[in-house]
Amino acid sequence: MNQVGRDLTVLPPAVVPVMESLSAVAGVGRVRASTGVFVGRSEELAGLDAAVSGAGGRAVVVAVHGLGGVGKSTLAARFAESRGDRFSFVWWVTADSPAAIATGLADLAVAIAAEAAVLPAEQRVELGVRWLATHDEWLLVLDNVTTPADAAGLLERVRTGTVVITSRRGTGWGGIPTVAVDVLTAGQAVDLLHRLVRSEWPDADLAGAEALCAELGFLPLAVEQAAAYLAQNRINPTAYLDLLGRSPARMFAAAKEDGDARQTMARVWHVTLDRLADTPLAGEVLRVAAWCAPDGIPRDLLADLGEEIDVHEALGRLAAYSMITLTGTTVSVHRLVQAVTRTQDPHDPHRRPEDVAAARDTATTILSNAVAELDPRSPADWPRYQQVLPHARALLEHTTPDTDTPHTIRLLARLGHYLDSRGDPGAAVTHHARAAQSCQRLYGPDHRETLPFRGNLANAYRAAGDLDRAIPLLEAVVADRERLLGPDHPDTLTARNNLAYAYETAGDLGRATPLYEAALADGERVLGPDHRETLPFRGNLANAYRAAGDLDRAIPLYEANLAHSERVLGSDHLVTLISRNNLAYGYEAAGDLDRAIPLYEATLADRVRLLGPDHPDTLVSRNNLAYAFHVAGDSDRAIPLLEAVVADRERVLGADHPHTLDSRNNLACVCQFLGDLDRAIPLHQAVLAARERVMGSDHPNTLASRSNLASAYLATGDPDAAIPLLEAAVAARERVLGPDHWDTLAARAGLANAYWNAGDRGRAVPLLEAVVADFDRVVGPDQPITLILRGKLDRVRHS
């Protein structure tokens, strides 16, 4: 027909195929392209097999769920490929939206009946559904379904065949069986990396693959992305790890040439967070959790991020989309999800630099507040510290001091005190050092906020046995406090007392004692003789007198301090109990066990009543009482009590805590004294090994253990084993403590005795003469130890 102006073509009406009568054409179908490399997943495949086999003729629907990038699609593709002979037709649909599902069904209709291609899209979708509903023995994979509701309409109409759904949603599937997919095992991840890289680079150097896969959290997508980068750029795993540490944003976004930029670590979880946009708190919760350790984040730490119901909803939705793993009390996040979430990207609305930094500071505040009101030295509060510690360490590992806030500083200080109490002085030093550094950056070196943290660091050095750094720092703290606060300020007096204690620890009683005396005099003048801050000054001075062997001055001071404590603080105050314990120790040093032992027993009973049987102070009392029994010759009570203290300290404080090692050392010494060398020597050896490992080879306690083991060897008549230990102990003590320290002099005396027992008169006599002269000069000619050594020297000369 010709019309004016244009031609009109009239087509015959489209033919609508009868889908119910059409069979699938052999060889026609659609499956996801395979990489050719598949590892592990035997349990997951078995789960799919079990679900399909148990269908009993009805439609089978299985939901495979897990974190984005964990390999759900790869698992479904492997199932379709390896079990394809079970099905007459296999069809794969990218199902990340209702529109995508519709497109996949429309394409299915055309694959079955090519003439349907000219029909409208809605009609093709209907034909696809009708074909599925009227046939069986087919497999339909709905890949990456966002929510169960998106597939609900299709599943209501289709009651035959097999449907495998993959989704990040782990909940909401109703009666549909599910198969959870987790990360690969370490061996599987390494195998996957090797196979992918060597398929393109057969002679690749893959040393360090284990460390790389561990850093990637054994996530298949991350391993595949890394393998592609290694093969394409011809670098090894160690170099990739270095790039990941220095440029995480670029590495997380790096895609293989001609690869899918959407399938990278930087993008794969972005889509999920987009879907959670109607729950804004979900992104904030995830960003805060990203700064914690991956596992075991206490849920109550996140409680203050919003209203209770909003926090619960945010956690629930993150868990539903497999972004986190949720229990009734904890939250876990895959370490790579954390790493990506922490990495700032101004182009990603979920990782804007200001939001990531705010989440870091929020996490810091939360962790600091969690222990703000707790006593780091109280075992009753230790469980909470132990909960917080791994998350604080993760936060500190992923931040630098230039981002520290006042909350960071307080958290570092509290953790430092806790670690010191738990017997980890090395870690305590690390925390106190960063706190002092950050405090100085924020406030300046002379700010009154800075001075206490420098004092904490100095005391941590002292506790760790590093007197070369502790003493100069304490001297500087004293000078700064005198300059800034004045010589009579209570903080200045405390700093002076701490410096005296460091001098005493170094064996320098010549500097320690006058400083203690001045601190006590100033404390009594400024604060008053009964002030609670004056009590430790008096107690420390008494300890110094006792260490010098001057018990005539030590014991009255101990007695006075106890009287002051009981009058000012009461008989049950912790400081009073310390004063009572110290007085008992003074009586023991004077050989007055009739007064020492009842006082130890009373102190122990009070500590059990007030603090409980497992408090460290209670264990100190039991240890002291046990050793007093030994000194009194009552080994029947000493040995069982020491054994019990060792067991309790191991249980409460840990096997490597310095107090535990002290008790084990005491037990070894008592066994040695009683002649049980078969038990004493292994104990001494174990204590020495532990002290070297925990405290270092130069710590005074380690040096003491070396001498103790040597003395045990001498007791067995084996000077050849003892002499190298004693020579090493003398050299180390002279280097660490100085030539005039009491312990150095004692070690030299022990070495002289070992030379004599070995028959080496040429070295024994001159060394013993020098030791006696040094004790004369340092300790005094009339002190008991000097008299004993002079008598030994006279006997040696006579012999």
Side-chain angles (χ1 to χ4, degrees):
M1 177 184 297
N2 294 323
Q3 284 188 189
V4 177
R6 64 187 178 90
D7 292 337
L8 176 63
T9 303
V10 178
L11 298 174
V15 176
V16 179
V18 181
M19 302 302 288
E20 293 83 352
S21 63
L22 297 178
S23 299
V25 179
V28 173
R30 185 166 70 187
V31 295
R32 181 174 181 263
S34 171
T35 62
V37 177
F38 185 87
V39 299
R41 305 303 192 197
S42 57
E43 291 185 10
E44 291 86 347
L45 285 171
L48 278 171
D49 278 332
V52 171
S53 301
R58 278 186 54 79
V60 178
V61 183
V62 185
V64 177
H65 65 89
L67 174 67
V70 82
K72 304 178 295 295
S73 300
T74 301
L75 176 68
R78 180 67 169 185
F79 179 78
E81 178 186 357
S82 61
R83 277 66 168 173
D85 56 352
R86 299 184 186 179
F87 308 104
S88 60
F89 180 73
V90 177
W91 192 255
W92 188 283
V93 176
T94 298
D96 54 4
S97 67
I101 295 175
T103 298
L105 294 172
D107 292 346
L108 182 151
V110 174
I112 297 295
E115 61 270 30
V118 299
L119 296 175
E122 293 83 358
Q123 196 168 1
R124 280 182 281 132
V125 172
E126 175 63 22
L127 292 175
V129 174
R130 281 168 51 192
W131 188 87
L132 291 171
T134 55
H135 293 76
D136 54 18
E137 297 185 351
W138 47 258
L139 169 64
L140 175 67
V141 179
L142 298 178
D143 185 34
N144 203 22
V145 172
T146 301
T147 176
D150 290 350
L154 173 63
L155 299 180
E156 286 172 1
R157 295 185 58 188
V158 174
R159 300 291 183 177
T160 59
T162 298
V163 181
V164 173
I165 297 171
T166 74
S167 178
R168 298 177 189 187
R169 279 292 296 265
T171 60
W173 296 107
I176 295 175
T178 60
V179 175
V181 182
D182 203 348
V183 296
L184 298 170
T185 66
Q188 291 167 351
V190 171
D191 183 30
L192 177 62
L193 184 79
H194 275 255
R195 291 167 64 181
L196 287 172
V197 174
R198 295 199 189 283
S199 66
E200 297 187 32
W201 186 18
D203 58 345
D205 173 13
L206 294 179
E210 293 82 1
L212 173 56
C213 290
E215 182 65 24
L216 298 176
F218 313 120
L219 187 73
L221 172 64
V223 174
E224 291 168 7
Q225 186 176 338
Y229 195 95
L230 298 181
Q232 178 172 295
N233 297 286
R234 296 301 195 259
I235 64 171
N236 62 34
T238 303
Y240 185 94
L241 264 176
D242 180 60
L243 290 172
L244 190 61
R246 289 189 289 115
S247 305
R250 290 187 61 176
M251 298 306 291
F252 291 145
K256 182 181 179 181
E257 190 73 24
D258 300 325
D260 187 350
R262 295 170 300 175
Q263 292 300 308
T264 63
M265 289 178 280
R267 288 289 300 170
V268 70
W269 301 301
H270 176 101
V271 176
T272 301
L273 291 174
D274 280 346
R275 292 167 182 163
L276 295 174
D278 58 339
T279 308
L281 191 58
E284 183 180 352
V285 167
L286 186 64
R287 283 189 292 272
V288 170
W291 293 100
C292 298
D295 299 314
I297 305 170
R299 286 182 65 159
D300 66 307
L301 288 181
L302 306 174
D304 291 337
L305 292 178
E307 295 293 330
E308 182 179 7
I309 190 170
D310 294 332
V311 174
H312 287 327
E313 180 182 349
L315 289 171
R317 296 205 70 199
L318 285 167
Y321 281 92
S322 302
M323 294 297 288
I324 64 174
T325 301
L326 197 60
T327 72
T329 57
T330 64
V331 177
S332 297
V333 191
H334 189 278
R335 63 183 301 163
L336 210 55
V337 174
Q338 290 183 307
V340 172
T341 304
R342 287 193 307 267
T343 303
Q344 300 178 358
D345 183 352
H347 306 295
D348 186 338
H350 306 298
R351 296 187 288 137
R352 294 184 304 174
E354 59 271 26
D355 292 338
V356 173
R360 176 198 66 220
D361 293 343
T362 298
T364 304
T365 302
I366 287 171
L367 293 170
S368 178
N369 288 342
V371 294
E373 304 301 323
L374 303 181
D375 182 357
R377 297 177 175 87
S378 171
D381 292 335
W382 286 354
R384 185 58 162 174
Y385 271 97
Q386 194 58 38
Q387 269 190 333
V388 168
L389 182 61
H391 306 296
R393 281 178 163 165
L395 171 72
L396 296 169
E397 178 184 348
H398 296 304
T399 58
T400 54
D402 61 288
T403 64
D404 286 352
T405 67
H407 279 291
T408 315
I409 295 168
R410 287 191 284 273
L411 176 64
L412 284 162
R414 293 186 187 103
L415 291 176
H417 292 312
Y418 165 71
L419 290 164
D420 183 54
S421 298
R422 291 305 305 261
D424 192 351
V429 164
T430 300
H431 285 70
H432 285 305
R434 179 161 168 177
Q437 174 190 354
S438 296
C439 202
Q440 184 162 319
R441 177 183 62 81
L442 286 175
Y443 302 116
D446 288 344
H447 195 280
R448 64 184 305 153
E449 287 284 343
T450 305
L451 297 178
F453 292 101
R454 290 172 59 208
N456 289 344
L457 175 58
N459 290 328
Y461 283 140
R462 179 195 51 74
D466 190 350
L467 299 173
D468 288 339
R469 286 196 281 187
I471 288 175
L473 186 53
L474 281 168
E475 290 171 335
V477 169
V478 168
D480 287 341
R481 284 185 169 172
E482 288 178 342
R483 174 172 55 86
L484 298 169
L485 304 177
D488 288 342
H489 192 281
D491 290 350
T492 305
L493 302 182
T494 298
R496 210 176 284 139
N497 179 76
N498 291 343
L499 175 58
Y501 187 39
Y503 287 149
E504 181 186 351
T505 303
D508 191 349
L509 291 174
R511 285 199 290 179
T513 302
L515 204 53
Y516 278 138
E517 291 171 336
L520 176 58
D522 291 338
E524 289 180 336
R525 174 176 55 82
V526 174
L527 303 173
D530 285 343
H531 194 280
R532 62 183 303 157
E533 296 295 333
T534 309
L535 298 176
F537 299 162
R538 191 178 293 114
N540 287 347
L541 176 58
N543 287 336
Y545 287 151
R546 179 192 50 75
D550 190 351
L551 297 174
D552 291 338
R553 286 200 288 179
I555 290 177
L557 210 52
Y558 280 135
E559 292 170 335
N561 209 42
L562 177 57
H564 282 293
S565 296
E566 289 178 334
R567 183 174 65 254
V568 174
L569 302 174
S571 60
D572 284 347
H573 194 280
L574 298 185
V575 173
T576 304
L577 298 181
I578 292 172
S579 297
R580 196 172 294 134
N581 178 79
N582 289 346
L583 176 57
Y585 194 33
Y587 289 151
E588 180 186 341
D592 190 350
L593 295 173
D594 290 338
R595 286 200 289 179
I597 288 177
L599 205 52
Y600 277 138
E601 290 174 328
T603 305
L604 174 58
D606 287 339
R607 281 177 165 167
V608 169
R609 174 174 56 85
L610 296 168
L611 304 176
D614 288 340
H615 190 281
D617 288 355
T618 305
L619 298 178
V620 166
S621 282
R622 291 172 62 203
N623 179 80
N624 291 349
L625 177 60
Y627 204 77
F629 285 148
H630 159 64
V631 174
D634 191 349
S635 58
D636 289 340
R637 285 200 288 179
I639 292 286
L641 190 53
L642 272 174
E643 291 171 336
V645 172
V646 169
D648 287 338
R649 279 182 159 171
E650 285 181 350
R651 175 175 54 82
V652 175
L653 303 174
D656 287 340
H657 192 282
H659 289 181
T660 307
L661 300 179
D662 289 345
S663 290
R664 200 178 296 137
N665 175 76
N666 289 347
L667 179 59
C669 291
V670 171
C671 290
Q672 179 180 337
F673 180 82
L674 296 174
D676 188 356
L677 294 171
D678 289 339
R679 189 179 184 192
I681 288 177
L683 275 171
H684 279 310
Q685 291 170 331
V687 172
L688 174 58
R691 282 176 166 170
E692 286 180 334
R693 183 179 67 254
V694 175
M695 302 175 175
S697 58
D698 285 345
H699 192 280
N701 289 359
T702 306
L703 303 181
S705 279
R706 203 171 287 133
S707 295
N708 290 344
L709 177 58
S711 71
Y713 285 143
L714 285 176
T716 65
D718 189 359
D720 291 337
I723 286 173
L725 281 171
L726 287 169
E727 290 173 336
V730 168
R733 281 177 164 164
E734 288 178 342
R735 183 181 71 256
V736 175
L737 303 176
D740 289 342
H741 191 281
W742 175 280
D743 290 345
T744 305
L745 300 179
R748 292 171 64 207
L751 178 58
N753 188 54
Y755 286 151
W756 179 262
N757 289 341
D760 189 347
R761 273 67 169 168
R763 288 196 289 181
V765 175
L767 183 55
L768 189 55
E769 290 173 336
V771 168
V772 170
D774 287 336
F775 269 99
D776 260 341
R777 175 175 52 84
V778 174
V779 179
D782 297 329
Q783 292 299 318
I785 183 64
T786 309
L787 297 175
I788 291 171
L789 287 172
R790 188 177 292 113
K792 172 75 172 178
L793 177 59
D794 290 342
R795 290 192 297 276
V796 165
R797 285 171 172 164
H798 179 74
S799 174

